[in-house]
Amino acid sequence: MISISHLAKKFAVENPKKLSEQEKKDPRLKGKFFHSVKDVSFTCDKGEVLGLLGPNGAGKTTTLRMLSTALKPDGGEIVLEGVNVVRDPLLARKKIGFLSGSTGLYGKLTGRENITYFGQLHGMQLQAIQQKINELADTLDLHSFLDRRCANYSTGMKQRIAIARTVVHEPKVVILDEPTTGLDIMATQTVLNFIRGLKNQGVPVIFSTHHLAEVDELCDRVSVINHGLTEFDDTIAAFRELAPQSLHQAFLHTLKQDVSSCG
């Protein structure tokens, strides 16, 4: 289980005069600081999939980067299986699998070599890494390109290798930042099936998305962030009850928008 309580993160604004008019109107801008995340809380238990929703710029990616230990919060607490992620990030990283918005693969290496390298960074033995790669190649359909250089991959190929790299060390929680963005229908379904497989294994999965059909298909819980604040955090059933017409309407409801004027 992972529990997130009252997370906060601000960034210094180097030159406020260069901000756009929209950025200047954002209520999170206070003097020389932009409070990207002001107060975010949610939980994800074993075997649960949590969909993290919010408009562009709401603070989702900043939140996920704090969960991954890539960013240190200014306030709040993250606890993963009894480990305080903020106080002990090195121990926490062994338990976390994080896929960022950019795959970050080494283009001159093959998919297999990329996955192997990250397995070694986690202290895995080569035999265990190769066994895990074979397993992931089956579930993520990697066999046809696994031993080709990543520089020649399509977007979908890169994303599937990046996901394999994310979970090679069998993390206790998996965090995915918009994992299906830019993928075709077949690659998207492969990723969604993989997330479903993690759920069946009892692994908590937190993923951000703009695709409410994915939330409808996979999620047990939903958390909505807007302007750096948690506006909703509950079960998918409770989310549906906000606006029985559709999840789209429910999402707009959490943003306090007039759903009747949005079709």
Side-chain angles (χ1 to χ4, degrees), residues 195-206:
I195 293 174
R196 189 177 291 106
L198 291 172
K199 174 180 176 177
N200 291 337
Q201 295 168 32
V203 179
V205 179
I206 299 169

Side-chain angles (χ1 to χ4, degrees), residues 211-219 236 240 247:
H211 303 293
L212 292 174
E214 297 175 0
V215 174
D216 191 28
E217 182 176 344
L218 290 175
C219 290
I236 184 68
R240 289 192 181 102
L247 292 187

Side-chain angles (χ1 to χ4, degrees), residues 5-263:
S5 304
H6 306 296
L7 281 189
K9 183 65 180 180
K10 67 179 183 293
F11 299 94
V13 179
E14 293 184 4
N15 192 344
K17 294 182 179 179
K18 291 187 177 182
L19 295 175
S20 67
E21 288 303 313
Q22 182 177 359
E23 289 171 330
K24 290 177 182 178
K25 293 178 181 178
D26 195 306
R28 290 173 290 175
L29 182 63
K30 304 291 183 182
K32 294 184 178 181
F33 290 95
F34 182 76
H35 296 257
S36 178
V37 174
K38 297 174 68 176
D39 189 350
V40 167
S41 301
F42 56 83
T43 62
C44 189
D45 211 340
K46 290 184 177 180
E48 288 186 337
V49 177
L50 180 141
L52 188 64
L53 307 179
N56 287 332
K60 301 187 300 297
T61 294
T62 300
T63 296
L64 295 183
R65 292 185 68 196
M66 286 190 282
L67 302 192
S68 74
T69 75
L71 285 176
K72 184 176 181 180
D74 296 322
E77 187 176 65
I78 306 166
V79 178
L80 170 59
E81 292 195 329
V83 175
N84 188 306
V85 173
V86 179
R87 295 177 186 169
D88 198 346
L90 293 180
L91 179 58
R93 282 172 200 159
K94 297 178 181 180
K95 298 175 176 287
I96 296 170
F98 176 58
L99 177 73
S100 68
S102 172
T103 59
L105 299 175
Y106 296 102
K108 292 184 178 181
L109 300 182
T110 66
R112 185 186 301 276
E113 289 168 341
N114 267 279
I115 301 169
T116 299
Y117 174 63
F118 278 85
Q120 290 176 312
L121 289 179
H122 283 289
M124 297 177 66
Q125 298 298 315
L126 281 175
Q127 184 176 354
I129 293 172
Q130 294 310 314
Q131 182 177 343
K132 188 64 179 178
I133 289 176
N134 291 336
E135 174 188 322
L136 291 168
D138 289 336
T139 56
L140 286 167
D141 194 20
L142 309 178
H143 289 290
S144 62
F145 56 89
L146 185 59
D147 293 302
R148 289 163 47 190
R149 286 189 177 184
C150 290
N152 301 318
Y153 283 1
S154 68
T155 300
M157 292 173 182
K158 289 179 180 178
Q159 191 73 325
R160 281 181 278 168
I161 291 293
I163 291 173
R165 179 194 65 187
T166 298
V167 299
V168 66
H169 60 300
E170 298 185 344
K172 301 301 182 182
V173 63
V174 174
I175 301 166
L176 308 170
D177 191 3
E178 298 187 13
T180 62
T181 297
L183 303 189
D184 63 26
I185 293 174
M186 296 304 296
T188 294
Q189 196 57 51
T190 298
V191 172
L192 297 183
N193 288 341
F194 183 72
I195 293 174
R196 189 177 291 106
L198 291 172
K199 174 180 176 177
N200 291 337
Q201 295 168 32
V203 179
V205 179
I206 299 169
F207 80 104
S208 65
T209 182
H210 290 291
H211 303 293
L212 292 174
E214 297 175 0
V215 174
D216 191 28
E217 182 176 344
L218 290 175
C219 290
D220 303 285
R221 298 188 62 84
V222 174
S223 190
V224 180
I225 299 175
N226 191 28
H227 293 308
L229 297 170
T230 298
E231 298 291 355
F232 178 89
D233 178 48
D234 208 329
T235 64
I236 184 68
F239 187 61
R240 289 192 181 102
E241 289 176 0
L242 295 176
Q245 309 97 307
S246 69
L247 292 187
H248 175 74
Q249 300 286 13
F251 175 65
L252 293 177
H253 182 89
T254 66
L255 303 184
K256 300 177 177 61
Q257 295 191 16
D258 182 2
V259 297
S260 63
S261 65
C262 299

